[in-house]
Amino acid sequence: MKDKIIIIIVILVTLLTTIYMFKMMDSGSGSEIQQAVENNDVYMDYRVDKTHINNTEIKNNAEQKLKEYRQNVSSDKLSRLYIVKCAACHGKDGKGIIGLPIIGKSYEYNYEALLKYKNGQVKNSLMKGLLENTPDNELKSLAEEISRFE
């Protein structure tokens, strides 16, 4: 259920961004689009006609939850890679927040699972999106780090 909600939010944000970009192109403001892309804040702008889609409340709730999860992640013993790729969903201890618990698994198990998500052998668009461009050495590093969670 949570995966479906996340996927719906991602789809809505993508749709709104696309609508916004088309409106910007129609108004001849291509430089604003380029600036927004460079600042990596395209998804934050929701100046979309209210008759099309109004998901500001959903967006704000999702952003607030992710912000809370990120704040709860301690970087004392965690790699930046784990914090960026995993901690928002699996937590600082691997016990799971949105995502499933990942504690208590061996390096081999973790590495194989990460490869399966990356290669699309396990259907999870969020995990695939996070891992599809992740180099093998980073997958191994993540597998090793996660295998130390107790």
Side-chain angles (χ1 to χ4, degrees), residues 15-75:
L15 176 64
L16 290 172
T17 302
T18 304
I19 292 169
Y20 171 73
M21 291 175 75
F22 276 103
K23 283 187 175 215
M24 293 299 290
M25 283 189 270
D26 289 343
S27 68
S29 302
S31 62
E32 287 182 35
I33 294 172
Q34 184 62 35
Q35 183 65 37
V37 170
E38 288 172 4
N39 292 339
N40 197 23
D41 62 1
V42 173
Y43 69 95
M44 296 298 285
D45 197 344
Y46 282 87
R47 290 179 285 169
V48 177
D49 187 319
K50 300 280 191 247
T51 60
H52 291 293
I53 295 175
N54 183 359
N55 78 333
T56 304
E57 185 177 339
I58 294 170
K59 176 192 144 297
N60 289 340
N61 287 341
E63 286 180 358
Q64 182 62 33
K65 288 279 188 199
L66 284 175
K67 185 177 180 182
E68 289 171 12
Y69 295 148
R70 286 186 186 120
Q71 287 173 348
N72 290 332
V73 174
S74 168
S75 60

Side-chain angles (χ1 to χ4, degrees), residues 129-147:
L130 285 168
L131 298 175
E132 68 185 344
N133 294 320
T134 304
D136 197 49
N137 64 324
E138 289 183 5
L139 290 181
K140 289 178 180 179
S141 178
L142 281 172
E144 173 62 33
E145 184 172 358
I146 294 166
S147 69

Side-chain angles (χ1 to χ4, degrees), residues 1-4 7 100 112-131:
M1 178 66 176
K2 291 177 185 177
D3 285 345
K4 289 180 182 179
I7 291 169
L100 297 171
E112 285 184 33
L114 290 169
L115 281 176
K116 286 178 182 178
Y117 282 114
K118 178 180 178 174
N119 297 327
Q121 293 169 315
V122 176
K123 300 295 182 202
N124 184 319
S125 57
L126 183 60
M127 288 289 292
K128 181 170 176 38
L130 285 168
L131 298 175

